[in-house]
Amino acid sequence: MVELTFLGTGTSNGIPVIGCACAVCRSADPRDRRGRTSAVVRFDGHTVLIDAATELRLQALAVGLDRVDAVLFTHAHADHTGGFDDLRRFNELAAAHLPVYAGADTAAMLRDRFAYAFEDLFPFYGGKPDLTLHEVDGPFELFGQGVVPIPVTHGRATVLGFRFGDLAYVTDAKTIPESSMELLRALDVLVLNALRERQHPTHLSLSEAVTVIDQLRPREAYLVHLSHELGHEQATALLPVNARVAYDGLTVSTLR
Ligand SMILES: [Zn+2]
Ligand SMILES: [Zn+2]
Ligand SMILES: [Zn+2]
């Protein structure tokens, strides 16, 4: 069984947006408060973090996350990497290096942006993240679980989704190439991004996400990376029966 907890489900501004008085930003529904998109996936007693979102520390505290055994990065945009420095706490908790997986472009950007963590390596004592960076160029194994990278297009960036058995996590997609659609067949749980009802040049809109869900027919789909143009209830009403809007703190799992 694979279990996933949504740490954050909002787009890059987070919700509420600073200085915004719209209905969603003022909503009393706790599901309308969204940190930047990230998640943890658990299988066979291991915990894998997907992205280090801006609010990583607050997200970890909110769900009681007290261990991370590996980190997968989807891409290097600021909302998915802003919590990078807080990874060092998981080094301290494990008293070990933390393996990190990313596509080659993303790995290069991480090395550049967070050079202090990769240069002048010194014996571990907790002052900075202590990471072993692995470049992903195809399916790999993590603690005995096969992980299939799913390349998707997001403006000029290629983002990696990840499939663990019958669960797949895809964020920040605008288009999903046919070869990647083939990797998303017969899913129990599909996590997919949907920004808002209006079109956007680099993110799936709600109706575009629903089209993908209709093509893939997972048992259940969960939408993430919402903007403040989509309230939880409003977006839920627009979805087919097998699709739901995720919210921060929600846990979902595969049947087997
Ligand atoms: Zn707003
Ligand atoms: Zn992005
Ligand atoms: Zn993003």
Side-chain angles (χ1 to χ4, degrees):
M1 193 179 86
V2 180
E3 185 183 85
L4 180 145
T5 298
F6 296 95
L7 297 181
T9 57
T11 192
S12 57
N13 283 316
I15 306 175
V17 176
I18 294 171
C20 184
C22 79
V24 174
C25 287
R26 285 186 295 108
S27 168
D29 185 339
R31 297 170 301 181
D32 283 325
R33 298 187 76 85
R34 300 182 189 276
R36 279 73 164 197
T37 293
S38 72
V40 283
V41 174
R42 295 187 178 87
F43 49 83
D44 299 331
H46 294 282
T47 301
V48 176
L49 176 67
I50 305 180
D51 290 333
T54 311
E55 298 93 351
L56 173 59
R57 173 176 161 274
L58 297 175
Q59 293 173 339
L61 292 171
V63 302
L65 182 65
D66 59 4
R67 71 179 275 181
V68 167
D69 302 308
V71 186
L72 309 185
F73 278 100
T74 60
H75 65 308
H77 281 169
D79 48 329
H80 300 262
T81 57
F84 183 91
D85 194 63
D86 287 322
L87 293 175
R88 65 193 161 124
R89 180 58 186 145
F90 298 106
N91 287 127
E92 288 180 320
L93 287 166
H97 304 279
L98 194 55
V100 171
Y101 296 80
D105 293 4
T106 300
M109 283 186 266
L110 291 174
R111 279 194 198 94
D112 184 47
R113 202 174 310 156
F114 302 104
Y116 73 94
F118 297 104
E119 289 170 359
D120 302 315
L121 287 173
F122 52 82
F124 173 72
Y125 60 88
K128 63 182 187 178
D130 183 8
L131 312 175
T132 313
L133 186 51
H134 302 275
E135 292 186 9
V136 171
D137 58 2
F140 60 102
E141 196 166 296
L142 200 53
F143 313 121
Q145 168 72 53
V147 182
V148 181
I150 315 278
V152 299
T153 307
H154 175 45
R156 284 179 301 167
T158 296
V159 174
L160 292 185
F162 297 101
R163 178 170 181 157
F164 314 80
D166 293 335
L167 181 148
Y169 181 92
V170 175
T171 189
D172 291 62
K174 173 61 181 181
T175 54
I176 304 178
E178 192 48 44
S179 53
S180 291
M181 288 291 279
E182 289 308 313
L183 301 173
L184 295 169
R185 301 283 174 199
L187 284 170
D188 220 14
V189 175
L190 169 66
V191 176
L192 185 64
N193 60 293
L195 187 71
R196 62 191 190 192
E197 289 192 78
R198 290 188 298 131
Q199 298 270 316
H200 186 278
T202 66
H203 287 272
L204 291 169
S205 67
L206 189 75
S207 63
E208 288 168 340
V210 168
T211 300
V212 171
I213 292 164
D214 285 344
Q215 289 167 351
L216 293 174
R217 301 187 169 280
R219 183 177 65 85
E220 288 183 317
Y222 291 88
L223 299 181
V224 295
H225 216 289
L226 276 71
S227 87
H228 65 150
E229 291 185 32
L230 279 180
H232 188 91
E233 295 240 327
Q234 166 207 355
T236 299
L238 299 170
L239 297 180
V241 287
N242 64 334
R244 305 188 191 354
V245 181
Y247 53 88
D248 296 17
L250 173 68
T251 295
V252 300
S253 59
T254 57
L255 290 177
R256 58 190 167 82

